[in-house]
Amino acid sequence: MNDLIPLYEATLSKIETAAKRSGRGADDVTLVAVTKTHGPETVRDAIDAGMTLFGENKVQEAAWKIPMCPTSARWQLIGHLQSNKVKHAVRLFETIHSVDSIKLFDALEAAARQAGTRPEIYLEVNVSGEPSKYGLTPAMLPATIEHILNHSQALTLSGLMTMAPFDLDPEAARPHFVALRNLRDQMEKDFGIDLYHLSMGMSGDFEVAIEEGATDVRIGTALFGARPKITRPTLDADTTSGIL
């Protein structure tokens, strides 16, 4: 028996219940199964359980892993992206959740044009103000969106992303999710654009995130358990699978 099936079904049930509390349906919320540090065998089991969309934190790990996974898997980057990895990111991922500067956008735009790909992007916003977190400040968001609207040809801006501070109490994350939703609504009004996606919420707080409007929830531990320790040295080298 595939041990992931009951965990996946339980997570889907929680998503559906939380979506109903926000006046939406389960189809309005996308589950991104986070497979960071899990091997291709876990991805294969996840696909057999019914999962289709997977999130990775590191380009180099994804480059090693993706060629060994079924081609039916779809991949999104949810972790911090270094500018020297953009040419690989635009080939590996259909969506990049973590665009956090104009400089990174410009590098991604140039790389996507060269590669002939058209990934979606979300802007990562540090609504909590934590110094340890990546992301644009809310004050930087309007100028960043204006720049993207004036220069984007290959990339599609379709949403915002945030990471709430870690707290054992899921309710502690609610103000941060509300802040991101309010920012999204204001940017849509100011620029006359559609920023449908709100990527917010992880294993410990995704139900609260959905109640506050999340469309994309990034769930790893609730599905796959504690992350194993990576021992493969190739995951930190730029030589894997002929991609990096």
Side-chain angles (χ1 to χ4, degrees), residues 4 7-8 11-12 15 29-39 42-47 49-57 61 65 73-78 93 97 201-203 216-224 227:
L4 294 181
L7 295 170
Y8 181 49
T11 301
L12 290 179
I15 288 173
V29 181
T30 297
L31 188 160
V32 182
V34 179
T35 46
K36 174 184 178 181
T37 76
H38 291 279
T42 299
V43 176
R44 289 191 285 269
D45 286 344
I47 290 172
M51 298 175 229
T52 58
L53 183 61
F54 299 93
E56 286 290 322
N57 280 56
E61 181 178 341
K65 185 184 302 180
R74 296 162 51 210
W75 299 92
Q76 300 190 349
L77 181 66
I78 62 171
F93 302 106
H97 291 227
M202 299 188 292
S203 290
D216 303 55
V217 289
R218 311 179 302 270
I219 301 176
T221 304
L223 293 169
F224 306 117
R227 290 195 297 266

Side-chain angles (χ1 to χ4, degrees), residues 230-240:
I230 282 290
T231 57
R232 303 174 182 90
T234 53
L235 295 190
D236 293 320
D238 287 352
T239 56
T240 55

Side-chain angles (χ1 to χ4, degrees), residues 50-104:
M51 298 175 229
T52 58
L53 183 61
F54 299 93
E56 286 290 322
N57 280 56
K58 294 184 178 181
V59 173
Q60 59 267 41
E61 181 178 341
W64 166 82
K65 185 184 302 180
I66 289 174
M68 293 187 283
C69 294
T71 56
S72 60
R74 296 162 51 210
W75 299 92
Q76 300 190 349
L77 181 66
I78 62 171
H80 178 65
L81 176 60
Q82 297 172 310
S83 58
N84 64 344
K85 298 293 194 299
V86 297
K87 67 179 180 180
H88 312 299
V90 298
R91 291 180 170 91
L92 291 167
F93 302 106
E94 64 179 49
T95 304
I96 298 170
H97 291 227
S98 51
V99 179
D100 61 2
S101 70
I102 288 175
K103 178 182 177 181
L104 181 58

